[in-house]
Amino acid sequence: MKQRVRIAPSILSSDFAQLGEEVRRIDAAGADYIHVDVMDGHFVPNITIGPGVVKALRPHTKKTFDVHLMISPVDPYIQDFSDSGADIISAHPEAGAHLHRTIQEIKRCGKKAGVVLNPATPPDVVDHLMGDLDLILVMSVNPGFGGQKFIKSQLDKLRILRAKIDSTGRPIDLEVDGGINFETAPLAIEAGADVLVAGTATFTGGPSQYAANIQRLRGSA
Ligand code: DX5
Ligand code: ZN
């Protein structure tokens, strides 16, 4: 079932020199989830942060830590991200040979589990996992960097996944990540997304604009 629209600012676009303060600011500005992009320079061509930083940020907010793992291998690090305070942990099917096992490992750690679909990854990869999933994340850019252009072909994938989720009757989040702005947010919501990741669109204009940016994205519904 479709849930209310929630906004997940990606701290990838924040000022890394003051991450704790930035997390407190987006919390106060109305963020629903804090989206944490973890990149390893191997699965994606960029390197960001690891579990130590997630742990250091944990005391700065009570909001949901939505941890997007763009790392391979992924299974050996799930326990670490769980211990560091992640609430939702999401992995790409291409990150390992056994996606079902990866999801079971996230559940074993007592966390909510997500699958992330790259632009070329077909939606049916989730078909035999639906009973275990809490979130499906559709990448509307190729993962690795903020500030890229929204790939419109992913709207069809959102529609297909919305129908799959509704047929389960379970509250699985349908999240979209990449190139979300005031123009693309309404398209993604119309196609069935109920969680919007927003890096550039949240942090543009500096701290005085965070609340207005988040409100305007949410208002796109
Ligand atoms: C890309 C990341 C995204 C990214 C989104 O690999 O997964 O979360 O930060 O950035 P924007 O919203 O700027 O496209
Ligand atoms: Zn992300």
Side-chain angles (χ1 to χ4, degrees), residues 43-67:
F43 183 70
V44 290
N46 192 8
I47 301 178
T48 56
I49 60 170
V53 175
V54 177
K55 187 176 181 194
L57 290 174
R58 190 63 280 186
H60 291 267
T61 181
K62 290 190 165 63
K63 298 230 162 125
T64 296
F65 272 173
D66 169 29
V67 176

Side-chain angles (χ1 to χ4, degrees), residues 96-112:
H98 305 286
L99 180 60
H100 184 273
R101 180 180 290 153
T102 302
I103 298 303
Q104 299 317 310
E105 174 63 5
I106 298 170
K107 309 292 284 187
R108 188 190 66 75
C109 292
K111 303 301 178 176
K112 291 188 171 181

Side-chain angles (χ1 to χ4, degrees), residues 10 12 35 37 39 68 70 139 143-147 177-179 197-200:
S10 165
L12 185 60
H35 187 80
D37 286 308
M39 307 185 187
H68 174 192
M70 287 161 274
M139 292 306 303
F145 302 95
D177 183 3
V197 176
T200 307

